[in-house]
Amino acid sequence: MMETVILYRKKNLERFFGKGSTVKIQDFFVSFKKNDTLFVDVEEGKEKKVKEYIFKELKNSILIIVGNDNLFPFHRIKSPIDDGDDIILTDNFFICTDRDLLFPEVEITRIPNSMDDDLKSFIKKLENIFSTEKININEKNGITAQIWEKASFDVFDDISGQGDMLISPPFDINQKYDFENFSGSFYFNLHGNDKLPGWYGQRSKNSNYREEYPLAILPKSFKKGIKNSFCFSEACFGGYVLNKKEKDSIVLTALKRSFIFCVASTATAYGPLFPPSSEADLLARLFFENIKKGKRASLSVINAKKKFIEYNLKKNGFLDDDDKKTIIEFTLYGNPLVEVSYG
Amino acid sequence: MDKKVLKDSVEKYVKENFSEFYGIDPTLKEIKTDSRIFEKKLKIKIQPLEKKIFSFVYVKDINGFKKVLKITVDGEGKILKIVHNR
């Protein structure tokens, strides 16, 4: 059995959740994983030493970061592409030895708190997320912006399961959409923004739809009816959870209520309008291929990133700045141990 | 190809195909990849690049939504990749 290594910062946990909260969170992980859990208090300024220790002694473990940026800060790295983002948040620091933090060598995930979580609600979130390590699903669901629907269907058609992908527009938040009893995978290829809670479609060049960017979904869309599900979202800032309350983030709401893991981006993400898949579309495709093979969530993410690098280097001979950004910004949140079977 | 000529060639393409970005001054960067580390980690051989690669990034803001067009070209102006932000 793989050892799980819980990375936390006691000082921040106790300040945010109160005295004694660290022990309660540790108790949860001990009861969940029995004897295969190691706890590492990563004090401020000791990150490099902890990383050295991970690569020396714990390379075959699964790292679980406890908390949002306020409890365990993301690593900050300059955006490889001049798109106005300036700095990107990433967890690649602890799992890559190369200078640019591109090649992942250790599995990792993060369990982010919402800014309105207290200790009780955070532990409840942990209980939901870690309630199972194996799920069996038959369904899939997706929503794409109209402008790149062909590129999205090229990815969606290869995802296992039965289901449809909605196109936005015409689909928007005003249309009733019922996730009642849904159990399966979600693929979102929509717009996102660091300041807005929802994800948005975009009309194609020839569309008559009145709005260019119709609101497609909001955090409240994921409050009920979904169980044992997971998602890959390509939305810009879909995984940007910094200083967010639950109502301000789809990922935070979904992890609290119904999803057991999500892969999403902390910054501006990229993809093509048409096939073949590249950037986030390619990473999503490779991720779902690994999930289909029964690989656990965290292994699926690092396998997808490695294959993404190999594919681009063999095909193009280079990784350009948006390829690099894709590898740095896509982040796993939730249970890393989940294996998915179909049928 | 001279950088000025390369820039003009991409500008012409943008004008014809992505007119909403025409007139925006793009950032231009030469792409360099140190593939030795990946060759070692992935145990693969990567053909060395014999040509220069450049990226042109156009950014505009529409009602609070950032819109990014990125075009990757080789030194001869051949378009290798076009991507948009999500």
Side-chain angles (χ1 to χ4, degrees):
Chain A
M1 187 180 282
M2 296 276 291
E3 185 174 50
T4 49
V5 178
I6 313 298
L7 301 179
Y8 64 100
R9 185 164 291 175
K10 183 178 178 183
K11 192 176 153 192
N12 291 354
L13 283 176
E14 304 266 315
R15 189 165 51 202
F16 188 72
F17 287 135
K19 205 173 171 200
S21 54
T22 307
V23 171
K24 287 186 176 160
I25 290 168
Q26 286 176 333
D27 284 348
F28 166 79
F29 281 109
V30 169
S31 67
F32 163 66
K33 282 294 290 178
K34 309 296 181 206
N35 299 324
D36 303 305
T37 307
L38 180 71
F39 295 93
V40 180
D41 181 5
V42 186
E43 292 173 25
E44 194 175 349
K46 303 279 190 206
E47 295 87 349
K48 279 187 183 170
K49 283 201 167 172
V50 170
K51 179 175 173 171
E52 285 168 14
Y53 176 56
I54 288 167
F55 273 85
K56 194 174 170 192
E57 304 285 346
L58 305 169
K59 209 176 162 188
N60 294 318
S61 306
I62 299 172
L63 310 180
I64 300 177
I65 292 175
V66 177
N68 204 326
D69 189 70
N70 66 315
L71 299 185
F72 195 105
F74 286 93
H75 184 75
R76 267 81 170 159
I77 187 170
K78 190 177 184 314
S79 172
I81 179 168
D82 297 322
D83 56 8
D85 279 359
D86 192 21
I87 296 294
I88 317 173
L89 307 180
T90 183
D91 285 333
N92 276 14
F93 173 80
F94 287 103
I95 61 168
C96 300
T97 52
D98 60 294
R99 191 191 58 188
D100 296 329
L101 304 182
L102 296 174
F103 193 84
E105 297 182 63
V106 186
E107 295 171 50
I108 192 167
T109 190
R110 178 182 284 264
I111 316 296
N113 59 292
S114 312
M115 293 310 286
D116 45 354
D117 263 332
D118 56 20
L119 181 61
K120 192 178 168 193
S121 64
F122 185 65
I123 288 180
K124 175 78 178 147
K125 179 189 286 182
L126 291 173
E127 287 169 356
N128 287 343
I129 288 171
F130 287 95
S131 61
T132 181
E133 289 183 16
K134 290 189 189 299
I135 58 171
N136 183 272
I137 58 173
N138 295 306
E139 297 177 274
K140 63 176 177 177
N141 203 313
I143 309 177
T144 178
Q146 186 183 43
I147 192 165
W148 48 67
E149 65 174 289
K150 285 189 176 133
S152 295
F153 273 103
D154 199 45
V155 176
F156 186 75
D157 288 346
D158 272 359
I159 299 172
S160 291
Q162 299 282 320
D164 296 320
M165 184 155 64
L166 300 164
I167 301 166
S168 177
F171 178 76
D172 66 24
I173 194 74
N174 298 315
Q175 294 170 43
K176 292 251 185 223
Y177 197 70
D178 188 5
F179 291 126
E180 202 62 42
N181 297 321
F182 180 85
S183 176
S185 64
F186 284 89
Y187 169 58
F188 299 110
N189 200 350
L190 295 164
H191 279 292
N193 182 304
D194 58 343
K195 294 176 186 69
L196 299 170
W199 293 338
Y200 294 74
Q202 185 183 355
R203 70 178 178 222
S204 63
K205 272 186 181 174
N206 303 322
S207 171
N208 292 322
Y209 195 81
R210 65 190 186 287
E211 285 176 88
E212 179 162 16
Y213 297 104
L215 176 60
I217 45 172
L218 281 166
K220 66 181 182 186
S221 310
F222 297 94
K223 273 198 165 174
K224 59 179 184 178
I226 301 167
K227 58 182 179 181
N228 288 345
S229 295
F230 62 97
C231 83
F232 190 108
S233 169
E234 294 190 28
C236 290
F237 296 96
Y240 183 82
V241 294
L242 187 88
N243 294 328
K244 302 258 188 190
K245 292 182 177 175
E246 191 185 315
K247 67 178 177 53
D248 298 325
S249 163
I250 288 170
V251 162
L252 290 176
T253 299
L255 283 173
K256 181 83 162 275
R257 308 282 171 169
S258 44
F259 283 38
I260 42 183
F261 64 89
C262 298
V263 183
S265 170
T266 60
T268 301
Y270 291 89
L273 293 184
F274 303 100
S277 300
S278 64
E279 287 74 30
D281 289 23
L282 177 60
L283 190 67
R285 174 189 288 281
L286 296 170
F287 167 76
F288 280 112
E289 275 178 19
N290 274 275
I291 288 288
K292 190 195 283 187
K293 288 176 189 166
K295 308 288 184 197
R296 61 181 167 267
S298 54
L299 186 58
S300 294
V301 174
I302 71 161
N303 280 353
K305 288 186 176 182
K306 286 178 186 173
K307 193 72 188 173
F308 179 94
I309 292 169
E310 183 178 348
Y311 177 87
N312 280 300
L313 287 174
K314 282 184 174 171
K315 179 170 176 268
N316 301 323
F318 61 85
L319 292 175
D320 66 6
D321 33 17
D322 47 276
D323 293 327
K324 290 176 183 173
K325 188 163 185 173
T326 301
I327 299 163
I328 295 166
E329 68 192 346
F330 275 89
T331 303
L332 174 65
Y333 297 106
N335 190 340
L337 302 163
V338 176
E339 294 171 2
V340 181
S341 59
Y342 294 86
Chain B
M1 189 184 277
D2 174 71
K3 263 194 189 174
K4 168 84 173 66
V5 180
L6 183 66
K7 199 172 174 183
D8 289 346
S9 148
V10 174
E11 279 295 292
K12 185 169 176 283
Y13 183 83
V14 168
K15 186 179 181 183
E16 287 166 3
N17 295 280
F18 300 99
S19 56
E20 63 176 316
F21 290 95
Y22 182 66
I24 294 171
D25 194 24
T27 56
L28 166 59
K29 194 193 274 185
E30 184 177 347
I31 303 297
K32 287 181 177 165
T33 306
D34 181 1
S35 49
R36 286 171 301 179
I37 185 165
F38 303 119
E39 285 186 317
K40 197 173 156 192
K41 300 274 187 196
L42 291 166
K43 298 182 178 66
I44 56 168
K45 186 76 189 154
I46 298 157
Q47 288 296 107
L49 267 182
E50 288 170 1
K51 52 192 176 184
K52 288 189 171 185
I53 307 293
F54 298 93
S55 71
F56 289 78
V57 180
Y58 296 80
V59 184
K60 65 185 291 191
D61 191 285
I62 298 179
N63 302 326
F65 280 92
K66 187 165 68 176
K67 215 167 185 178
V68 186
L69 167 69
K70 181 173 168 289
I71 301 177
T72 305
V73 298
D74 67 17
E76 298 306 308
K78 183 184 173 193
I79 291 174
L80 304 174
K81 203 165 78 171
I82 299 170
V83 296
H84 299 258
N85 68 306
R86 292 323 199 200

